[in-house]
Amino acid sequence: MPDALKQFAFSTFLLFYYNRVLGMDAYLVSLALMVALILDAVTDPYAGSISDNLRTRWGRRHPMMLLSVPLLAVGLFGLFAPIEGLSGPPLFCWLLAFAVMTRIGMTLFAIPWEAMFVELTDDYAERSVLIAYKYLFVWLASAAVGWASWTFIFPATEAHSPGHLNPAAYERFALVIAASISGAALFTTLLTYREVPYLLQPTRSAAVASISRAVRELLLAFRNRNFLVLIAAALTSAVIIGMLLALEIYMHTYFWQLGSEEIRWFSLASLLGVVLAFLVMQATGGRIDKRNVLLTAYGFTILESGGLVCSRLAGILPQEGPFLLSVLVASMAVRVSLLTLTGVCASSMAADCVDVQELRTGRRQEGVFSSAIQFISKISTGFGLFLSGLLVSWLALPEQADSVSLAGGTLWAMGLTVGLGIPLLQLIPILLIFRYRLTAAQHAEVAAQLAARHAPSQPGREGSPTPLETVADAAPEAGAVNRGGALAQRITRPQSRDN
């Protein structure tokens, strides 16, 4: 929930608020957000290395998660409630400072949390179902906060229509979003603390955390070929999604001519979409190869977005009215369902790569793998945000902040670039994912070999070694996990706790 709600606040409102409400040039806003992302991203491998090797009485994940709470609260409130009267360079510095604080706070929470999430199960199919539950609650929170924001915080007024052009509304939003995200981070940390005795732990304290060690562990992760393919796909996909999310509120406001009363329905559409994706994951039960699901979802994402915009430009869809809103809401449900499927499959595939990494190197690198994905995603998302700001400046939107009418040429330019051109770039991650080779059968063999390796006694096996068994496994290094002990504890846990 914390990362999902932060993403909602950043992608939906931040660029729009500083650009259209506070009057800062769009490219300067996107520049500040890109710099904040890059500064945050360079800390990710370091945070992942610390999380993997930390050894405390509170576990190796929870101390960092707890530290994130005050940073998130202060950073988010400052972002959406700047000092009145700030403009020019002081406003730019304010945005940059609180964006960096918020993102570093989220790094301290998200990287150990994602790493701990990988540790909860080793099963190929169960891992996808568990991640589907995760996405269900992500969208439940996003839908609730989204609906409440558009309905109660940004309603249209006589002075400001649509309501998200009202400067005073953002002060209320600052308080709500800061309390929601920091509260969710705190509760997540406290409610999972009881699992610390059952999670994997380093066999002994590693050397003092250093940047050089973080880089070495990151390079070790990149030697995993399938993971490297996922990283490349995540890089390009993050640029695309970063642009689409940042420009979505512009499309709703200027291309589709929607007010806050109409936009709020997209929150419920998002919830419907994730429920649909959740039901699909439950029905398949992991029987369909994850790579195939990911490729299919990417392809239909292109068709959904491009077809909708082309229908509007061709005059097939009406310019306004209940029918148009119904079509847009249904389209949003389909889009969120597809995005959820891609997220579930990509996350589960990355977790499978962690198991292969342990088999080959003797090390569990959940934190490093998580930080590598975060690092690449943030760098590319920052680049996408910067491109979004340049695109908004190029589109030459009305100078009057309260004007939402576009000239015909600008309308076509926005539709073709944002609605069609950017989604077509999803062809790049599609081509990359074709090179991912880890199948369900191969992962089952990896899991069997890991189980045999960590069994209390290991009788000799007959027959020729499998290709994975022929890989020379490095001896476990400092920071390697005591997997057998942790699994033994989990086996003896009460049945209700396992459930």
Side-chain angles (χ1 to χ4, degrees):
M1 287 172 57
D3 196 29
L5 296 183
K6 187 271 298 177
Q7 186 68 18
F8 165 74
F10 269 55
S11 62
T12 304
F13 294 112
L14 200 54
L15 175 59
F16 189 88
Y17 172 52
Y18 277 83
N19 170 225
R20 302 302 294 169
V21 179
L22 298 183
M24 184 184 293
D25 288 336
Y27 77 90
L28 288 177
V29 180
S30 59
L31 177 62
L33 296 179
M34 182 181 70
V35 172
L37 267 174
I38 293 174
L39 292 176
D40 172 29
V42 297
T43 66
D44 284 353
Y46 192 53
S49 178
I50 293 175
S51 180
D52 279 343
N53 294 284
L54 190 63
R55 185 176 177 87
T56 73
R57 58 179 295 189
W58 304 283
R60 55 178 178 162
R61 314 295 185 193
H62 287 72
M64 295 175 64
M65 293 165 63
L66 191 61
L67 183 61
S68 72
V69 175
L71 293 176
L72 289 171
V74 176
L76 284 159
F77 184 81
L79 269 179
F80 290 98
I83 297 175
E84 188 175 353
L86 282 182
S87 62
L91 183 61
F92 179 89
C93 293
W94 180 281
L95 169 61
L96 178 61
F98 282 95
V100 169
M101 181 184 297
T102 301
R103 289 199 171 278
I104 290 179
M106 189 55 65
T107 292
L108 293 176
F109 173 84
I111 287 181
W113 162 239
E114 290 290 344
M116 181 171 64
F117 200 83
V118 174
E119 297 173 331
L120 296 180
T121 181
D122 308 273
D123 185 81
Y124 180 85
E126 186 182 45
R127 188 169 271 162
S128 294
V129 174
L130 184 62
I131 294 176
Y133 273 102
K134 169 187 170 183
Y135 273 81
L136 176 63
F137 284 98
V138 160
W139 284 105
L140 279 172
S142 298
V145 172
W147 175 270
S149 298
W150 290 113
T151 304
F152 302 111
I153 300 178
F154 297 106
T157 64
E158 293 184 3
H160 300 93
S161 182
H164 46 285
L165 291 171
N166 183 5
Y170 287 91
E171 295 181 5
R172 298 190 295 271
F173 181 73
L175 182 60
V176 170
I177 202 67
S180 299
I181 292 176
S182 60
L186 178 61
F187 281 120
T188 299
T189 304
L190 296 178
L191 292 173
T192 55
Y193 176 69
R194 67 177 186 174
E195 299 299 321
V196 169
Y198 309 102
L199 299 175
L200 308 178
Q201 298 294 333
T203 53
R204 59 187 178 89
S205 297
V208 177
S210 66
I211 295 177
S212 61
R213 190 188 72 197
V215 171
R216 288 196 304 271
E217 293 184 344
L218 188 61
L219 292 176
L220 180 62
F222 284 162
R223 291 173 61 185
N224 187 312
R225 181 184 177 278
N226 288 305
F227 183 66
L228 193 59
V229 169
L230 282 177
I231 284 290
L235 188 152
T236 52
S237 184
V239 172
I240 300 165
I241 293 175
M243 294 182 69
L244 291 176
L245 290 176
L247 295 169
E248 187 174 64
I249 192 171
Y250 287 89
M251 288 289 287
H252 289 162
T253 305
Y254 297 101
F255 185 83
W256 299 110
Q257 298 280 298
L258 302 177
S260 54
E261 293 78 8
E262 291 83 18
I263 295 176
R264 65 179 178 172
W265 290 102
F266 292 115
S267 299
L268 297 184
S270 300
L271 181 59
L272 178 62
V274 76
V275 170
L276 178 61
F278 180 78
L279 292 176
V280 170
M281 295 301 301
Q282 289 286 339
T284 59
R287 290 185 293 272
I288 302 178
D289 192 86
K290 300 171 189 178
R291 190 192 73 158
N292 295 336
V293 176
L294 185 60
L295 290 171
T296 303
Y298 271 137
F300 277 104
T301 298
I302 298 174
L303 295 176
E304 177 273 328
S305 179
L308 194 67
V309 170
C310 289
S311 298
R312 166 69 175 84
L313 294 176
I316 299 175
L317 286 176
Q319 295 186 7
E320 58 183 0
F323 178 72
L324 173 63
L325 181 61
S326 300
V327 171
L328 293 177
V329 168
S331 177
M332 175 63 76
V334 173
R335 185 184 314 163
V336 169
S337 180
L338 294 171
L339 288 174
T340 301
L341 287 174
T342 59
V344 169
C345 292
S347 299
S348 187
M349 289 159 69
D352 295 338
C353 291
V354 173
D355 296 333
V356 175
Q357 190 76 353
E358 182 187 6
L359 181 66
R360 292 177 172 174
T361 68
R363 293 178 61 84
R364 294 288 295 186
Q365 289 189 285
E366 295 96 339
V368 171
F369 274 49
S370 173
S371 66
I373 295 175
Q374 293 277 347
F375 175 81
I376 295 297
S377 296
K378 287 175 181 178
I379 293 292
S380 49
T381 300
F383 184 62
L385 279 172
F386 183 66
L387 292 178
S388 300
L390 294 179
L391 184 57
V392 169
S393 298
W394 173 74
L395 287 171
L397 298 176
E399 294 183 4
Q400 298 81 10
D402 56 351
S403 176
V404 295
S405 298
L406 295 182
T410 304
L411 185 73
W412 273 79
M414 176 177 282
L416 292 177
T417 54
V418 181
L420 183 60
I422 297 176
L424 279 174
L425 295 176
Q426 293 280 19
L427 291 171
I428 299 174
I430 287 177
L431 295 175
L432 289 169
I433 292 299
F434 270 114
R435 301 182 66 83
Y436 182 89
R437 304 299 187 201
L438 183 59
T439 65
Q442 289 175 339
H443 181 268
E445 178 61 28
V446 169
Q449 292 181 46
L450 287 175
R453 173 181 294 180
H454 298 295
S457 60
Q458 211 173 178
R461 293 194 299 272
E462 298 180 357
S464 302
T466 66
L468 284 172
E469 285 178 309
T470 62
V471 177
D473 295 331
E477 308 170 31
V481 293
N482 183 359
R483 186 180 181 87
L487 289 178
Q489 292 183 44
R490 292 180 65 185
I491 290 170
T492 60
R493 292 168 64 186
Q495 184 65 28
S496 61
R497 290 291 297 281
D498 282 336
N499 289 340

